[in-house]
Amino acid sequence: MPTEVSQEIRELIKVKGRITFAEYMQICLYSPHGGFYSYRSDRINAHFGTSPTSHPAFGALIARQLEQMWHILGEPDVFHLIEVGSGDGSLARSIVNACRLTYPQFARALRYVAADYQPTNYRASGHASDWSTGDTEAGPASVSESQLAVQGIRAEGLGPFRNVVGCILCNELLDNFPFRRFAIDGGNTREVFVTTAGEDFAEVLDDPSSPAIEQRLGSVALSLAEGYRGEVCLALEDWTCQLARSLHRGFVLTIDYGELAADLYAPRNAEGTMVCYRRHTATGDPYQDPGQQDITCQVDFTSLMQLGARQGLSTVGFARQSTFLQNLGFSALLEEMQSTGLSAARAEFNRTALMTLVEPEEYGDFKVLVQAKGVDPGIELLGFAGTEH
């Protein structure tokens, strides 16, 4: 039986004849009529895990990096931390707790805004009564040394935020931006469109709906073989514009799975990097049960850096998550937790959960990018000590 999401897609195809994969994906993930994130945002962990839900140490280590950023900015009285795509608030809680316990001076300056991201074509319903829209200049709930408050808002991107001094944090957000799919066919770049075939959805290839697809591939100097299929996220351009408009002085900290363009579009990825998740099971079929599964692909960090640079965002750090966390004291934290007098079973559970943060087959191969505005681009952040960017 067709779901509301699949019916919404069919109606759009009926009007337009065919739609881009980005349009299809946006409805699947964000439709208020049963989209994967809009409908089950409080139950996402039933489908896949994340670094913040693996262990609160992830947030505690990031807190150390944030505290250094505060010092670099001259210890402003107010340091705004805008987390975009905050989900269930796991990362917010762990960062806030670490700041309260370990960095009391920084905690007094910290203003944490947890923004649950909504794409521009769908407005949030505001189902949580304690969420509100606002402007960071007005300031979220007051913060004292003994109690850090997290203000939550629903936001279409970064529109509500301006003149931010501090850091904009995005953990596993960009991989869910709706993306275009393309194929090299007859030596030309063709776009993958979605249409209907009876009761099913089907794909058709045609000339790109936007010259930006070929321009993006050209900007990273790629030569792709016949038959190659891949993804291009055109939404990154608008995203970097939003970042530059919102950030007055400070940093953008992006953590996600992805690669530099040369690796992302390498021959080993000739079928693309798109993957779907449902109840911790990965599939390659985005047309199965629309709205019931996550759809994602790896982030093109080269394009993110290039687009950011055009908007005045300098790259000041890029590394694997494992390197980033090790530089922030992961090993010392692991040793400390192993000597806290826990039972053998609990100690092993803790160790296993912690190791997922740095193991390559888990989250260790995620990438961490820091861009800056109004800051000396030659600074060395703790998380990137000894790395090149």
Side-chain angles (χ1 to χ4, degrees):
M1 179 179 296
T3 63
E4 286 190 77
V5 169
S6 63
Q7 189 59 38
E8 185 177 345
I9 295 168
R10 288 179 179 278
E11 290 174 1
L12 184 60
I13 292 174
K14 186 182 296 184
V15 171
K16 303 185 70 172
R18 63 188 183 186
I19 59 176
T20 67
F21 188 81
E23 291 173 305
Y24 171 85
M25 180 177 170
Q26 181 157 308
I27 296 174
C28 287
L29 298 187
Y30 301 110
S31 168
H33 308 298
F36 183 78
Y37 282 101
S38 301
Y39 185 66
R40 53 182 57 78
S41 61
D42 58 342
R43 301 194 298 276
I44 290 301
N45 291 337
H47 295 270
F48 55 82
T50 62
S51 293
T53 59
S54 293
H55 201 286
F58 181 68
L61 293 169
I62 289 177
R64 186 182 182 202
Q65 181 59 86
L66 293 169
E67 195 236 3
Q68 187 205 15
M69 291 174 174
W70 175 62
H71 288 303
I72 290 171
L73 292 177
E75 301 181 5
D77 291 340
V78 174
F79 180 99
H80 273 109
L81 177 56
I82 314 295
E83 184 196 348
V84 190
S86 55
D88 67 358
S90 295
L91 184 55
R93 286 190 294 273
S94 58
I95 289 176
V96 162
N97 287 337
C99 290
R100 177 173 56 83
L101 295 172
T102 311
Y103 310 111
Q105 286 186 300
F106 175 46
R108 283 193 288 269
L110 181 62
R111 303 294 186 273
Y112 201 120
V113 181
D116 203 8
Y117 177 78
Q118 290 284 326
T120 54
N121 283 5
Y122 284 119
R123 291 191 176 275
S125 61
H127 64 263
S129 61
D130 58 334
W131 289 58
S132 62
T133 56
D135 186 318
T136 60
E137 284 195 324
S142 61
V143 178
S144 68
E145 185 174 0
S146 60
Q147 182 181 9
L148 282 167
V150 178
Q151 181 193 30
I153 76 163
R154 295 271 181 187
E156 294 184 357
L158 289 167
F161 310 111
R162 56 193 177 91
N163 293 327
V164 172
V165 174
C167 180
I168 299 172
L169 169 61
C170 316
N171 180 64
E172 295 186 58
L173 171 69
L174 304 189
D175 61 283
N176 284 126
F177 278 14
F179 50 79
R180 309 292 184 98
R181 297 177 68 202
F182 70 88
I184 306 301
D185 181 52
N188 299 311
T189 301
R190 311 272 275 177
E191 185 170 359
V192 176
F193 293 89
V194 181
T195 186
T196 53
E199 295 299 314
D200 300 320
F201 293 111
E203 296 181 351
V204 293
L205 295 181
D206 206 341
D207 294 335
S209 59
S210 168
I213 296 175
E214 292 179 285
Q215 290 168 2
R216 176 70 60 79
L217 294 174
S219 72
V220 291
L222 298 172
S223 178
L224 302 175
E226 180 70 16
Y228 191 101
R229 283 182 170 247
E231 304 84 21
V232 169
C233 182
L234 300 183
L236 291 182
E237 185 159 2
D238 178 66
W239 175 245
T240 54
C241 288
Q242 290 186 55
L243 290 171
R245 285 197 301 266
S246 298
L247 187 65
H248 175 65
R249 192 166 65 94
F251 303 89
V252 179
L253 172 55
T254 303
I255 306 172
D256 223 315
Y257 77 109
E259 300 283 356
L260 295 175
D263 294 317
L264 182 64
Y265 295 107
R268 67 175 181 275
N269 291 326
E271 295 299 319
T273 65
M274 181 186 67
V275 65
C276 306
Y277 289 99
R278 184 177 184 182
R279 299 196 178 280
H280 297 276
T281 299
T283 74
D285 184 3
Y287 306 112
Q288 178 182 341
D289 299 325
Q292 302 298 308
Q293 59 178 348
D294 189 23
I295 306 173
T296 179
C297 78
Q298 293 196 32
V299 175
D300 174 4
F301 278 96
T302 296
S303 291
L304 194 57
M305 292 178 195
Q306 290 178 346
L307 292 168
R310 294 177 198 169
Q311 299 295 328
L313 300 173
S314 303
T315 295
V316 294
F318 181 69
R320 285 181 168 81
Q321 179 170 300
S322 56
T323 301
F324 179 72
L325 296 182
Q326 288 287 3
N327 283 338
L328 291 171
F330 175 85
S331 294
L333 188 58
L334 177 62
E335 184 177 343
E336 177 185 337
M337 289 190 171
Q338 292 298 98
S339 59
T340 54
L342 295 174
S343 67
R346 278 198 164 277
E348 179 58 22
F349 178 82
N350 245 320
R351 190 197 71 81
T352 300
L354 273 167
M355 291 306 296
T356 64
L357 301 177
V358 296
E359 289 175 343
E361 62 273 18
E362 296 288 347
Y363 305 113
D365 200 40
F366 278 33
K367 305 304 185 297
V368 182
L369 170 67
V370 174
Q371 296 161 291
K373 181 180 179 182
V375 175
D376 179 4
I379 61 167
E380 183 171 80
L381 297 175
L382 291 171
F384 304 97
T387 65
E388 296 182 3
H389 59 267

